[in-house]
Amino acid sequence: MTAIALPDATMLGVLSSRVHVQWALAAGSKLEDRPVYVKTKCFEAFPLPNLTDRPDLAAQIAATAEELDAHRKRQQAAHAKLTLTDMYNVLDALRLGRALTVKEKLTHTDGLVSVLAELHDRIDALVLQAYGWSDLAPALVGRPGGTLPWPEKPVAQAEAEEALLLRLVALNAERAAEEARGEVRWLRPEFQDPARRMAPALPALPVPTQDEMALGEVSAGAAQKVGGKPPAPSARRPWPADLPEQVRANADMLTASPNALDESALAEGFTGRGPWKKRLPGILLTLQALGRARREGERWRA
C-alpha cells in the first residue's frame, strides 16, 4: 500500500486520472497478468502537471476529486456489501458497452456507477487540460481503461494512448534536467525543502562586528586565528544547553576562523558531557540553509 499525505485533493484527482493510470500501467510491473504499482517508478518518476500558476484549475481538480471520494464513501456506507472492485468492474463494463449481469446491475444501482463514471470523465478532462493536452481528450475521456489488449482498442484510442505516454516520457526528461540544475518542484516544500523546513523554526543569527571580534566577545571561535586549528583548552566554552544558542555558538566559531573547519575542529571548541557532538551535522546544515555557512568538502566556512 502507498499512502500519500497532502493538504488538498488536487493530487487525488491527478493520480485518479487516466493520465496517471496510463503511466502506471506502462512503468509498473506485473504479477502474472495483474498490474503492480511500483512506487519508485509509478509515483516518484511520474511527471506531475504544473499547476503553480493555475490555481483555479487546481481548485477544480481538487473539488471534483473530493466529490469522487465522497461519492464512493457515501455509497459504500449505504450498502455494506458494495466494494470498490465491484463498482469499477461495472464501470469498465459500461464503457465497453457490455451487458451487465444480474449482480452487476445491483452494483450499478447501489453504487450509482453512472455518477462514478461522470466524475472520472470530468477528472480526466481537467487533468489533460492541466498538462495542456486537451487535444487527446476526445479519444480518451469516457473510453475503456488502458488495460484492454491492443487489438480490441479503437485505432484513435490506441494512438492517443501512445501519444500520451510519449509526452509523459518527454516531460519526465524535462523535469530530470530541471532537477539536475537544482530546480526541484517540491510537493510539500514546507516539509521537503531543507531551507523552508529548517529556517522558520530558528532565530535570526547576527553577524559579529569587527569590534566584537577584536574584543574577544565572539566567544569560543575568537581563539582560532591561524590555520584553522582547534582552540587551546583554555579558550573552550561549555556546550550551550539550548538549540538557538548552539547554532549561534557554531556560527560565531565559523565567522571567527579565517580557515574552513571540519566537525572535529568545531567540536574542539566546546566542552561537555553526553552525545552533544551528534548535533553538529544538523546544526551545520541549518547554518547552510540560513545562508550562514557553506560547505567545502568535509569542511565548513562562514
Side-chain angles (χ1 to χ4, degrees):
M1 178 180 291
T2 301
I4 303 168
L6 291 168
D8 63 53
T10 305
M11 185 61 61
L12 173 62
V14 174
L15 298 183
S16 298
S17 72
R18 68 182 305 128
V19 176
H20 183 64
V21 169
Q22 201 70 41
W23 171 272
L25 289 171
S29 60
K30 285 189 176 181
L31 179 60
E32 297 175 347
D33 62 343
R34 300 186 296 279
V36 177
Y37 193 90
V38 182
K39 180 175 73 72
T40 52
K41 295 180 179 180
C42 297
F43 177 70
E44 293 178 7
F46 178 60
L48 296 166
N50 183 14
L51 291 165
T52 305
D53 300 325
R54 307 181 73 181
D56 292 345
L57 183 55
Q60 290 181 60
I61 294 173
T64 311
E66 292 280 14
E67 285 187 58
L68 174 67
D69 183 56
H71 172 75
R72 295 185 300 202
K73 289 178 177 177
R74 182 171 55 249
Q75 298 312 119
Q76 286 191 285
H79 306 279
K81 295 184 178 181
L82 183 65
T83 68
L84 288 178
T85 299
D86 289 341
M87 293 171 70
Y88 279 94
N89 284 341
V90 171
L91 175 58
D92 285 342
L94 291 176
R95 286 179 168 170
L96 284 168
R98 176 175 62 77
L100 301 182
T101 65
V102 173
K103 180 182 177 182
E104 287 174 335
K105 288 179 180 178
L106 179 61
T107 298
H108 182 279
T109 301
D110 291 347
L112 296 178
V113 177
S114 294
V115 176
L116 181 71
E118 189 269 336
L119 290 168
H120 272 287
D121 288 351
R122 283 165 51 194
I123 286 174
D124 289 344
L126 288 168
V127 173
L128 284 170
Q129 181 183 349
Y131 281 98
W133 301 338
S134 293
D135 59 302
L136 300 178
L140 296 177
V141 176
R143 306 298 181 181
T147 57
L148 288 173
W150 186 271
E152 295 184 24
K153 294 178 182 176
V155 174
Q157 181 180 342
E159 291 177 347
E161 289 178 358
E162 183 179 11
L164 176 60
L165 285 175
L166 289 174
R167 293 181 191 185
L168 286 170
V169 170
L171 185 56
N172 172 272
E174 288 180 21
R175 296 291 165 76
E178 285 180 358
E179 292 190 11
R181 298 192 300 267
E183 301 172 18
V184 182
R185 297 171 183 261
W186 305 106
L187 282 179
R188 301 193 73 179
E190 68 274 23
F191 292 100
Q192 295 173 296
D193 185 352
R196 291 188 61 177
R197 184 179 71 245
M198 302 171 76
L202 298 169
L205 302 179
V207 178
T209 66
Q210 293 296 324
D211 290 341
E212 288 174 335
M213 293 174 65
L215 292 171
E217 296 178 7
V218 182
S219 71
Q224 286 191 290
K225 295 297 181 182
V226 182
K229 295 180 180 180
S234 60
R236 295 174 185 171
R237 59 173 290 182
W239 179 255
D242 298 323
L243 178 60
E245 290 303 316
Q246 294 166 11
V247 174
R248 189 185 303 275
N250 281 276
D252 290 346
M253 185 174 291
L254 289 174
T255 301
S257 173
N259 301 303
L261 302 176
D262 59 18
E263 290 179 19
S264 61
L266 282 167
E268 287 298 321
F270 301 95
T271 61
R273 295 182 179 180
W276 58 270
K277 293 181 182 180
K278 293 181 179 180
R279 293 190 177 184
L280 279 173
I283 289 173
L284 288 168
L285 290 175
T286 299
L287 289 171
Q288 183 182 39
L290 291 169
R292 294 295 308 277
R294 68 178 186 272
R295 193 169 201 156
E296 297 180 355
E298 297 298 319
R299 295 175 180 269
W300 294 83
R301 185 184 299 276

